[in-house]
Amino acid sequence: MTEKKEVANAPEDVHSFAKPTEAVARHLDLDINVNFDEKVISGRATYQIENLAKTDHIIFDTRDLVIEKAYISDSLTETTFEIGKEQKHLGQPLIVAIKPETKSVTIQYKTKPDAAALQWLNPQQTAGKQHPFLFTQSQAILARTWIPIQDSPGIRITYSANVKVPPALLALMSAENPQQKNSTGEYRFFMNQPIPSYLMALAVGDLVFSPIGTSTGIYAEPATIAAAAHEFAELDKMLVAAESLYGRYRWTRYDLLVLPPSFPFGGMENPRLTFVTPTILAKDRSLTSLIAHELAHSWSGNLVTNGTWNDFWLNEGFTVYFERRIMEQLYGKEYADMLEVLGYQDLQHTLEELGPKSEDTRLQLDLEGRDPDEGLTDIAYEKGNFFLRHIEQAVGRERFDLFLNKYFNTFAFKSTNTDRFLEFLRTELIKGDEKLARKINIEGWVFSPGLPKDHLVPASKRFEQVEQAYNSWKNGTPAAQLNTKDWSSHEWLHFIRMLPEPMTTQQMAELDKAFHFTNSGNSEVLAAWFLHAIRNNYTTADQALETFLTNVGRRKFLVPIYKALTATPEGKKKALAIYAKARPNYHAVSTSTLDELLKK
Ligand code: BES
Ligand code: ZN
């Protein structure tokens, strides 16, 4: 174990075939055509490479790609290549013959229509219903399904791209972006800051741009842009808050792209252009902590990157911590406390699900032999966050912030890993203070399962009022008379999560009549309420549930709902019937999880 690490210094990534210590890509020039009729991306990927070991081959990751030709050097001399054996989850290595002095490699390829990173939407699946739409989701190891690439977060490349799309559509990437369509459908992109492959991103659709500040703005379909501009009007303030905490924003612009509802995640931190689900368009700006989260990734994740998926907590734990600091700065401690309590509930839930002794509840993971997608849980997010909170509490916020600033500056545009972070923690913060080291308890937090006993248990003043209201309802006060004035979606979420199991139809109906949960426009509230509706067989919500499941593709909502449905034979029948209809609307990221869940 230690041996491996020392030799490479770049930790070995068990999810990539590439051998970056031998031959590594530094720059990509992508030249592709997007064909909606055939659902195929085709073209060439030209890499500037460094042949460090003067070897006779360079290895790229591929999965479900058709590799047509390979060339070396700028004069495009055809070369031979070999496609290695398929490995579960990982795809196949593409081994291209090179010379010791080779500086560039070109691969001519095309994708398959069911490439896992790509979701091709027909017009009916968009807000405008007029034009098709395509988007990519490369994290964790799906970039290799649309580009032959050294698909490891420990390897960074700059890139440029020529992308040809139907002239009615706009193309956007995780790069410097156009703000309007042109008549040719040919777009040129530059990303001259080195990024890991999982941040390669492309979206193509009927998109318009609406500025917020001078370096921020929103892309969305025309039908969605006004709602999005209203919802995210405070984006600039978020950016200012983030910069005041951990230093200058390094990626020039920060724009958002609002995707169709089938987007499988809440958000994806593609550099310069965060992709977001439209399910956070709640009208009241109550779900914008998700934007703070994706913005925070501009530091934790995109600037300082987890070197392997085993170190995922370095991306997500830091980002959750940072997200809540941004929200605290903008909306106050009481607001951030609510997020912290909800996060703590999520953590407890995940610990229960995985079991407190599960190896997957350690911060440093061991995902060898598995699809990283399966092992990336709330542990990285929330246990990671609470570990950082714990350190913050031990050394004081001021000192911790200085430390974090230094961390981001020291590792900027680099990939790192758990061991290197811990070394930095020891030399820059603990500095031989044994009492502090014991208090911080690296072993307990990072390498042991479960939660150390002395972890911080968050509390929320605003939630105390929710708990009071809940208790008086339990003691007989009619729901309609509860004091729920000024509750945000967080208070509602807390309230709904507290509701007892089981409830009578009468109770469900009373709550619904008073608070209109079934018809809520807030996706978080809806998703939490549906769980009770399912468990209590509250059929009034059936239609709304089906509509939700057929429109929304966000995995975080789908999985618990389908899971709840499958708890009874009738529910399972319902689930399968809805899934049959809804499945074509879901991205491969969601269907791969749900196929597994529903076949059991
Ligand atoms: N980078 C993640 C999404 C991700 C993680 C995609 C792992 C693929 C593999 C993104 O930043 C994220 O965490 N999104 C969350 C929202 C966040 C507020 C917790 C999501 O999509 O729910
Ligand atoms: Zn994240």
Side-chain angles (χ1 to χ4, degrees), residues 313 316-322 324 336-348 351 363 378-394 400 439-440 445 450-452 454-459:
W313 76 279
E316 297 299 344
F318 279 68
T319 297
V320 169
Y321 174 83
F322 193 170
R324 301 216 175 118
D337 282 346
M338 293 195 290
L339 300 175
E340 194 82 336
V341 171
L342 291 171
Y344 186 72
Q345 291 169 1
D346 292 335
L347 176 57
Q348 291 300 340
L351 284 169
L363 284 180
D378 268 351
I379 296 297
Y381 290 81
E382 296 295 346
K383 187 180 174 185
N385 166 61
F386 282 101
F387 178 38
L388 298 183
R389 283 272 167 206
H390 176 76
I391 305 175
E392 178 199 311
Q393 207 190 25
F400 193 49
K439 170 77 193 150
I440 290 180
W445 279 95
L451 259 189
D454 65 340
H455 69 270
L456 203 135
V457 180

Side-chain angles (χ1 to χ4, degrees), residues 137-141 198-199 263-269 277 289-294 297 309 312 315-316 319-320 323 372-373 376 378 381-382 554-556 589:
Q137 168 57 42
S138 296
Q139 197 181 12
I141 56 168
Y198 76 89
L199 296 176
F263 185 57
F265 294 105
M268 178 63 216
E269 66 273 25
T277 171
S289 63
L290 188 138
I291 303 296
H293 179 97
E294 304 312 332
H297 272 307
W309 297 114
F312 186 57
N315 274 19
E316 297 299 344
T319 297
V320 169
E323 161 205 332
D373 201 52
L376 305 180
D378 268 351
Y381 290 81
E382 296 295 346
R554 191 172 163 191
R555 185 170 64 177
K556 175 187 123 171
V589 157

Side-chain angles (χ1 to χ4, degrees), residues 15-149:
H15 295 110
S16 170
F17 294 108
K19 294 197 177 131
T21 51
E22 295 175 15
V24 66
R26 299 291 189 203
H27 176 84
L28 163 64
D29 195 19
L30 199 59
D31 189 358
I32 52 176
N33 179 59
V34 178
N35 183 332
F36 279 91
D37 296 329
E38 290 173 21
K39 300 189 172 159
V40 165
I41 292 178
S42 61
R44 287 176 174 188
T46 297
Y47 285 100
Q48 302 305 316
I49 65 160
E50 228 177 304
N51 188 351
L52 298 164
K54 304 285 171 230
T55 139
D56 62 358
H57 64 277
I58 180 165
I59 308 177
F60 298 93
D61 293 290
T62 73
R63 188 180 138 200
D64 295 334
L65 289 180
V66 181
I67 305 297
E68 295 166 337
K69 285 202 161 99
Y71 307 89
I72 49 172
S73 85
D74 294 343
S75 56
L76 293 188
T77 314
E78 197 164 343
T79 186
T80 55
F81 64 87
E82 199 183 303
I83 296 170
K85 215 173 100 219
E86 161 118 39
Q87 256 190 54
K88 206 164 174 222
H89 313 304
L90 304 185
Q92 294 167 285
L94 165 65
I95 307 150
V96 180
I98 57 172
K99 300 195 177 123
E101 68 277 11
T102 298
K103 296 252 170 345
S104 80
V105 172
T106 297
I107 302 152
Q108 185 175 315
Y109 76 101
K110 60 184 183 201
T111 61
K112 296 214 177 133
D114 53 359
L118 306 179
Q119 191 172 14
W120 301 87
L121 298 172
N122 59 45
Q124 215 42 48
Q125 293 167 299
T126 66
K129 317 275 179 218
Q130 302 291 316
H131 298 278
F133 200 107
L134 165 70
F135 66 86
T136 64
Q137 168 57 42
S138 296
Q139 197 181 12
I141 56 168
L142 301 179
R144 64 190 71 179
T145 71
W146 70 285
I147 310 171
I149 196 164

Side-chain angles (χ1 to χ4, degrees), residues 573-584:
K573 236 182 171 169
K574 217 188 264 178
L576 289 173
I578 297 174
Y579 191 53
K581 264 198 265 173
R583 194 178 181 282

Side-chain angles (χ1 to χ4, degrees), residues 96-255:
V96 180
I98 57 172
K99 300 195 177 123
E101 68 277 11
T102 298
K103 296 252 170 345
S104 80
V105 172
T106 297
I107 302 152
Q108 185 175 315
Y109 76 101
K110 60 184 183 201
T111 61
K112 296 214 177 133
D114 53 359
L118 306 179
Q119 191 172 14
W120 301 87
L121 298 172
N122 59 45
Q124 215 42 48
Q125 293 167 299
T126 66
K129 317 275 179 218
Q130 302 291 316
H131 298 278
F133 200 107
L134 165 70
F135 66 86
T136 64
Q137 168 57 42
S138 296
Q139 197 181 12
I141 56 168
L142 301 179
R144 64 190 71 179
T145 71
W146 70 285
I147 310 171
I149 196 164
Q150 293 190 319
D151 197 7
S152 166
I155 303 171
R156 306 178 85 88
I157 52 170
T158 53
Y159 78 88
S160 57
N162 284 317
V163 180
K164 184 153 176 34
V165 302
L169 306 181
L170 179 67
L172 300 171
M173 292 192 81
S174 47
E176 202 178 307
N177 274 307
Q179 292 185 342
Q180 60 194 41
K181 291 174 197 164
N182 62 38
S183 56
T184 62
E186 288 176 17
Y187 296 92
R188 178 118 184 101
F189 299 90
F190 295 95
M191 168 47 88
N192 41 33
Q193 295 162 301
I195 61 165
S197 58
Y198 76 89
L199 296 176
M200 292 297 305
L202 170 69
V204 183
D206 179 20
L207 293 166
V208 290
F209 176 74
S210 172
I212 298 178
T214 50
S215 61
T216 52
I218 306 171
Y219 295 90
E221 287 187 65
T224 315
I225 193 78
H230 167 77
E231 202 78 28
F232 306 133
E234 290 173 5
L235 188 59
D236 246 36
K237 283 194 208 153
M238 270 189 186
L239 188 56
V240 171
E243 289 189 311
S244 78
L245 285 165
Y246 300 121
R248 186 170 67 83
Y249 177 76
R250 312 260 202 141
W251 303 89
T252 62
R253 293 195 57 84
Y254 183 72
D255 295 317

